[in-house]
Amino acid sequence: MSVGRLVALPLLWLVRGYQRFVSPLRPPTCRYYPSCSNYAVTAIERFGPLRGPWMALRRLFRCHPWTPGGVDHVPDRDPTTGRPVPGTTGPKPYRGTPTDAETSHH
């Protein structure tokens, strides 16, 4: 197990504890999909104990009563640089659904 993974484990335990013990006591108020806590788990697992929590914190600051919310996935990780890949946070296309290029009528 890598050092980054070991450092990330307590952060993951905190988020999972929130999901298990605190979240069920609160009314459902999520404005985004996936929920902020699920986003945090994915971000920490994908980007590690430094960038992952930073991304989760930024997501929490975007979540407020005046935001429209919507689908906001954790971006993909560039295998070369380890940085987020721009443009990969929106809805993921499902198999069998036409892409924008297939549906445009030029």
Side-chain angles (χ1 to χ4, degrees):
M1 185 176 288
S2 71
V3 173
R5 181 77 178 148
L6 284 173
V7 173
L9 278 175
L11 298 171
L12 290 170
W13 293 336
L14 283 171
V15 176
R16 297 268 189 215
Y18 167 82
Q19 288 176 326
R20 184 169 181 151
F21 299 110
V22 178
S23 184
L25 302 175
R26 302 188 61 216
T29 57
C30 294
R31 297 185 178 280
Y32 285 106
Y33 176 83
S35 69
C36 290
S37 61
N38 285 331
Y39 185 98
V41 168
T42 303
I44 293 167
E45 288 175 343
R46 191 172 292 169
F47 289 98
L50 296 176
R51 183 170 281 145
W54 172 246
M55 294 172 75
L57 187 63
R58 286 179 39 217
R59 166 71 177 272
L60 284 171
F61 284 135
R62 287 194 310 265
C63 188
H64 52 76
W66 302 279
T67 190
V71 176
D72 180 31
H73 292 287
V74 175
D76 294 335
R77 184 174 185 265
D78 185 303
T80 306
T81 64
R83 305 189 102 207
V85 177
T88 60
T89 60
K92 304 296 182 189
Y94 295 101
R95 283 183 174 207
T97 57
T99 63
D100 290 337
E102 295 171 345
T103 58
S104 64
H105 302 286
H106 293 302

